[in-house]
Amino acid sequence: MGKLAASPEHLPQVLAEFEAGRKLTGKQVTAIIGGEEEVQASDLPNAGGIAGLRANAQAKLKVGISEFARNIAEVMSHIETALARAMEGKRVLKGQLADKIERLARLARFQIENVTLLVELNPGNSAASQVIRFPQGSKWLQVSELLWTLGGRGSWPREELAPWLYAEVLPLLTWSIDSGKRPKEAEALNAEPNR
């Protein structure tokens, strides 16, 4: 009880277990609170219980976020290189840029969904699951949709590619891997939702 009193944010979760008729041992309550011993990386595939589940989830989260950030940074680097041509008065070569970023953008979209979104049973097919999408109007939904768009050159604007990349794509990608705060200029440029 002392550990639970020191961690009141876990009280609803523990109470829900009791209300569901499950009697928890002190060890199980400690695991829910997070006071379990740290599981070594080599033990992760065989770590059981809440402690093992939490350790595996934390390991996945750590790797998934760093891979997402690395892929977004690489996409941004390719876009910035393409935009440097535009600053010299040349046009952005859509095909060359797409060859470099399409697969990375789709991979980053799957990574963000894998790390952040929950799944549910598909109502149309109980043998399949589906990802619960980000809420409508959220910045993360905009990022997810933008990454999907970047992953298919056919959905890119036919005209004015450089302004779209500069004014819409880069600010949103930057937001996704920086502190989460956006400069006022970028917010003004992206005040209208993308889709």
Side-chain angles (χ1 to χ4, degrees):
M1 292 300 286
K3 288 184 180 181
L4 188 55
S7 185
E9 67 273 9
H10 292 95
L11 186 59
Q13 186 179 358
V14 172
L15 287 176
E17 291 292 321
F18 281 113
E19 289 171 357
R22 291 185 277 284
K23 294 181 180 180
L24 299 177
T25 65
K27 190 174 183 179
Q28 290 169 321
V29 171
T30 300
I32 290 172
I33 293 170
E36 66 277 346
E37 293 180 21
E38 189 172 318
V39 177
Q40 298 299 315
S42 61
D43 295 336
L44 284 175
N46 299 309
I50 299 295
L53 188 60
R54 182 175 283 117
N56 276 282
Q58 288 172 345
K60 174 186 172 183
L61 187 65
K62 183 178 179 180
V63 171
I65 290 173
S66 65
E67 286 181 358
F68 170 78
R70 186 181 69 242
N71 288 332
I72 292 295
E74 187 174 342
V75 167
M76 290 175 63
S77 174
H78 290 304
I79 291 171
E80 289 165 350
T81 300
L83 287 174
R85 290 182 47 84
M87 298 302 280
E88 297 169 358
K90 301 173 184 171
R91 63 184 189 87
V92 173
L93 301 176
K94 181 178 180 178
Q96 287 183 6
L97 178 60
D99 288 344
K100 293 176 183 171
I101 70 169
E102 278 179 318
R103 293 174 58 101
L104 280 173
R106 290 279 165 99
L107 176 60
R109 181 175 188 257
F110 293 134
Q111 288 169 329
I112 183 180
E113 289 179 351
N114 192 25
V115 167
T116 59
L117 297 177
L118 298 173
V119 295
E120 64 184 356
L121 285 177
N122 183 330
N125 179 359
S126 63
S129 61
Q130 65 184 18
V131 174
I132 300 171
R133 293 175 46 93
F134 290 108
Q136 278 301 108
S138 72
K139 286 291 183 200
W140 284 112
L141 179 61
Q142 290 179 28
V143 170
S144 178
E145 290 175 346
L146 176 63
L147 290 170
W148 184 258
T149 299
L150 289 174
R153 69 185 86 191
S155 57
W156 296 10
R158 295 199 185 284
E159 305 292 328
E160 306 298 324
L161 185 58
W164 174 68
L165 292 169
Y166 179 76
E168 292 184 40
V169 174
L170 283 180
L172 198 51
L173 293 181
T174 300
W175 176 86
S176 75
I177 59 172
D178 70 5
S179 66
K181 298 177 183 173
R182 298 173 56 199
K184 293 197 183 301
E185 309 85 57
E187 283 187 19
L189 289 171
N190 289 305
E192 183 177 313
N194 290 344
R195 274 151 255 335

